[in-house]
Structure formats: C-alpha cells, structure tokens
Amino acid sequence: MLVLNAVPFMKPLHMRSPVPQGRRHTLPASEFRSLSPEDAISVFEIEREAFISVSGECPLHLEEVRHFLTLCPELSLGWFEEGRLVAFIIGSLWDQERLTLDALTLHKPHGTTVHIHVLAVHRTFRQQGKGSILMWRYLQYLHCLPYVRRAVLMCEDFLVPFYQKSGFKVRGPSEITVGPLSFTEMFHPVWGHAFMRRNSGY
C-alpha cells in the first residue's frame, strides 16, 4: 500500500514534532493514505449516503469499489481521522481524449489520464472544506507521478463551481448518461515532475 509520506507536501519524518514522553500515541490524528480493498465497505457506506440522497445513483457500486482498489490503489486517496475514514477519492487510468461508458468500469494501465470516479465526504465532516483540501492533496500527488498528464471527471451541473475552484476546466457535456442524469465533463492539466525534468534539458 502506498502511504503518501514521501511526496513533497508531506513533512519529512525528521521534521515532525516528537511525541511527548509518557504519552501513548496509537493512531495519528489525521492521516492521508491510499486505500485498499479492505477499505471498500467504509468507502461504499460514505458514497452511498452522499449520493443516493441527492441523485439516487452511486458512481461506484461496492464490487466496483473493490475492483478499482485492487487494480489501482495508488490512484486512490483516503483521509482518516483517528483511524476513521472521513473522505476519499477513487481514480483509475484512462487512455482516450474523452470519457466513454467504458471509463466507468475499466482501468487502462498504459493510460496517461486519471479518471476521478468519485470524491465523497462523510456526512459528519461536511461543510468543513475537507473535499477541497482532499482534492488539492490528490492533485499534488498526481503531479509526482511521471506518467500522468491530466485528470478528468464528470459531474452534475451544480457541482461544476466546486471543481472549478480546484482548477478544473469545463470541456463540455459528457456523452455519458445514467438513467435521467446528465453530466458535465471537466479536466485539469497534470504534468509529472519527472516528465518535466526529462523534457527540460536539465
């Protein structure tokens, strides 16, 4: 499992404040890490509550959550408070310019586009800015992956301003519909640091 302690926006181990003597430290107050199939039920419970009440549809069903957390756990990010999952993002790789129906269920290992399937926050922790913070950390992490060129997602119209605040741009109406729901496709350029170094002449 990939723990995001090595990426630039996390403090190096030697810079972290020592735990005071005499205090038993069991779980970090706040931890960001990639998810695993063992997290699937917690993920799905948060997702189901967040989406069913609003749109009546979940972006990913439980088996699809397990599917992506098995194939590409490194493209997920969970926010844990004292060991409890409070927010998460699940992504996979895609290899075409636009999202199609296949993008909802497939992971393309040689793709250079990260398709963000879902971002959800536990109901107890909403209206605290956690979704924006998690997306910022996720995008910073993607910048460290040399094979990633951009991130894409599709969302309902009322969520477009939220993603625009994170730097996403509108590409246009998505060709994907789910029942009566239609979506807007959005993208965010991402250039891995290793790719930039390799092509900068330095």
Side-chain angles (χ1 to χ4, degrees), residues 5 8 10-16:
N5 286 340
M10 303 290 279
K11 277 188 177 181
L13 188 62
H14 69 275
M15 293 177 62
R16 296 178 191 167

Side-chain angles (χ1 to χ4, degrees), residues 45-62:
E45 287 176 349
I46 294 174
E47 180 196 17
R48 181 174 55 187
E49 189 280 328
F51 285 90
I52 290 294
S53 60
V54 176
S55 63
E57 295 283 348
C58 282
L60 297 174
H61 297 294
L62 179 57

Side-chain angles (χ1 to χ4, degrees), residues 4-201:
L4 305 183
N5 286 340
V7 295
F9 53 89
M10 303 290 279
K11 277 188 177 181
L13 188 62
H14 69 275
M15 293 177 62
R16 296 178 191 167
S17 301
V19 178
Q21 292 296 319
R23 175 184 169 191
R24 180 173 293 178
H25 186 76
T26 53
L27 291 171
S30 188
E31 177 190 16
F32 296 85
R33 65 166 173 82
S34 61
L35 300 167
S36 73
E38 287 72 30
D39 297 308
I41 292 177
S42 296
V43 164
F44 184 66
E45 287 176 349
I46 294 174
E47 180 196 17
R48 181 174 55 187
E49 189 280 328
F51 285 90
I52 290 294
S53 60
V54 176
S55 63
E57 295 283 348
C58 282
L60 297 174
H61 297 294
L62 179 57
E63 288 309 310
E64 293 167 334
V65 171
R66 288 197 177 105
H67 172 72
F68 286 118
L69 294 186
T70 299
L71 289 180
C72 47
E74 71 282 0
L75 297 176
S76 67
L77 181 60
W79 187 342
F80 293 80
E81 295 280 359
E82 297 182 344
R84 178 189 183 188
L85 181 66
V86 301
F88 68 88
I89 291 173
I90 293 178
S92 65
L93 287 178
W94 184 238
D95 61 357
Q96 297 180 33
E97 185 68 19
R98 298 294 297 267
L99 295 175
T100 69
L101 274 174
D102 284 344
L104 301 185
T105 56
L106 297 181
H107 168 61
K108 299 286 192 173
H110 301 294
T112 59
T113 294
V114 171
H115 173 204
I116 298 174
H117 292 271
V118 57
L119 181 160
V121 179
H122 191 283
R123 62 182 180 275
T124 307
F125 298 89
R126 290 179 198 147
Q127 306 302 317
Q128 299 177 21
K130 279 184 163 52
S132 297
I133 293 170
L134 185 64
M135 179 60 78
W136 181 84
R137 284 182 173 266
Y138 188 73
L139 292 171
Q140 291 299 306
Y141 169 60
L142 294 185
H143 277 287
C144 298
L145 302 179
Y147 53 86
V148 175
R149 301 291 173 265
R150 62 185 182 133
V152 298
L153 57 84
M154 62 182 205
C155 64
E156 292 181 75
D157 288 347
F158 74 92
L159 287 171
V160 167
F162 169 80
Y163 289 112
Q164 286 177 322
K165 290 177 182 177
S166 294
F168 282 83
K169 301 180 187 305
V170 172
R171 181 175 290 280
S174 173
E175 67 178 62
I176 301 170
T177 58
V178 179
L181 300 177
S182 59
F183 305 95
T184 296
E185 188 168 324
M186 306 185 72
F187 72 98
H188 192 298
V190 176
W191 296 97
H193 294 317
F195 176 86
M196 293 172 66
R197 287 196 301 270
R198 190 166 62 246
N199 291 275
S200 64

